[in-house]
Amino acid sequence: MTVSTIALNNQTTIPQLGFGTYQVPPEQTADTVSTALEVGYRHIDTAQMYQNEQEVGEALKASSIPRSELYVTSKLNNGYHRPADAERAFEETLDKLGLEQIDLFLIHWPLPTLYDGDYVSTWKTLASFVADGRARSVGVSNFQPAHLDRIVAETGVVPAVNQIEVHPYFTNEDARAASIRHGVEVEAWSPIAQGAVLDDPTIGEIAAKYGKTASQVTLRWHVERGDIVFPKSMKRERMEENFAIFDFALTPDEVSTIAGLDKGEDGRTGPNPDTFDYVPA
C-alpha cells in the first residue's frame, strides 16, 4: 500500500502517515519501532521528552531500509528553550538517533508563560539547524495562532509544520486555519482522541458502510482534510489496521459530518498551549 506524501513549504516532502512513539516505554521502543518498519511505516515521530530517542535510533540502525526512505521527527525538551541549551540538546538528539541529519525537528511547546515569554529566540536557533544542514526541516508543535503570527513576523522564517491536537471531538480550527494561512502543514497528534472517538455511533455507521474500523475511518478523515497523522500502537495487528487507510475514500459529506462532531474546548484531551508550563525535572 502506498502512503501519500505532503509537500512542505521548503520543497521537501513528508509521508502523510507515520508512527508515533509517545508513551512507548524505552525498553520496548526498539522492538516496537522495528515492527512498525516491518509493517511498512517509514515516518517515525519521537521527542526528547519521550525518553526513547536512543531506542528509536537502535531500530533505525538495525533496519535494512535505506536512510533516504526514512523520515524521522523529534522535538525539543521544554527545559531547553534557551539557545545554548537548544543547541546542545539538538546535538544529543542526533547522537541518540544515530543521524547526521534529522528530517524534522520541532519546538515541542511554546511555553508562553516561561522564559520571559521568549520562544522567538528558540525558533531562531532551530532555523539555524536547517541553515547548517543538520535538519532538513524545522517546525513547531502546539503553537496557537498568536504564537505562529509572532515567530513569522519577528523572524521571517515560516515553520514547515505545526503539530497540534486534532481529532473529530476537537478539530482545533483556529490553530489549523492559522497554520494553513501561513503555509504551514498540520500534523495531528491524538488523532483518535486517545480512543475516545472509537465508540462514536456516527463514525461507526460510516465505518460499517466501508467495512472498515472506526480508527481507520477517523485516520482517513484526517488524510482527506490534509492532516499528517502518526497513530501509536504497540500491537502489530493495530499497526497494520492503522496502515490500511489508503484503499478507500470518504465522501465530502462524510468528512463534514465527522467534523461536525467537534466539541470545542470540551473535546480537548491535552493541555491548553496558552497555559501549559510543564518542564521535566
Side-chain angles (χ1 to χ4, degrees), residues 128-251:
S128 74
F129 302 154
V130 174
D132 64 26
R134 289 179 292 168
R136 291 179 66 211
S137 303
V138 289
V140 295
S141 182
N142 301 298
F143 270 48
Q144 301 278 61
H147 306 145
L148 275 178
D149 291 345
R150 181 181 173 193
I151 62 171
V152 173
E154 294 189 26
T155 70
V157 179
V158 180
V161 305
N162 187 14
Q163 187 177 117
I164 55 177
E165 180 178 353
V166 180
H167 49 76
Y169 288 168
F170 183 63
T171 57
N172 208 353
E173 291 303 334
D174 288 346
R176 287 186 84 251
S179 300
I180 293 166
R181 171 166 50 84
H182 283 294
V184 178
E185 296 300 327
V186 173
E187 289 191 314
W189 65 258
S190 192
I192 59 174
Q194 299 180 15
V197 302
L198 299 185
D199 294 324
D200 187 274
T202 298
I203 294 174
E205 183 177 338
I206 295 171
K209 171 185 172 182
Y210 291 102
K212 292 289 185 177
T213 66
S215 177
Q216 288 171 320
V217 164
T218 303
L219 294 174
R220 183 67 207 184
W221 171 78
H222 283 285
V223 168
E224 300 276 359
R225 283 163 42 101
D227 297 341
I228 300 158
V229 289
F230 38 94
K232 183 268 288 186
S233 177
M234 296 175 64
K235 298 179 179 179
R236 186 185 184 104
E237 59 269 25
R238 286 298 304 277
M239 295 181 196
E240 293 173 343
E241 173 188 327
N242 292 336
F243 196 74
I245 61 171
F246 296 98
D247 57 353
F248 76 108
L250 304 175
T251 68

Side-chain angles (χ1 to χ4, degrees), residues 25-93:
E27 65 273 15
Q28 296 175 265
T29 297
D31 286 345
T32 300
V33 172
S34 293
T35 300
L37 295 172
E38 290 172 7
V39 168
Y41 294 88
R42 295 295 181 265
H43 169 188
I44 307 298
D45 181 278
T46 184
Q48 292 173 357
M49 289 196 293
Y50 300 171
Q51 298 184 0
N52 58 17
E53 289 177 310
Q54 184 84 40
E55 292 76 16
V56 169
E58 290 172 8
L60 299 177
K61 184 177 180 180
S63 169
S64 60
I65 300 167
R67 173 67 182 95
S68 61
E69 297 179 15
L70 296 169
Y71 197 98
V72 184
T73 298
S74 194
K75 313 174 196 74
L76 182 68
N77 186 306
N78 286 352
Y80 303 139
H81 271 221
R82 293 184 178 88
D85 293 335
E87 170 71 35
R88 183 178 63 254
F90 179 68
E91 274 300 316
E92 290 178 359
T93 282

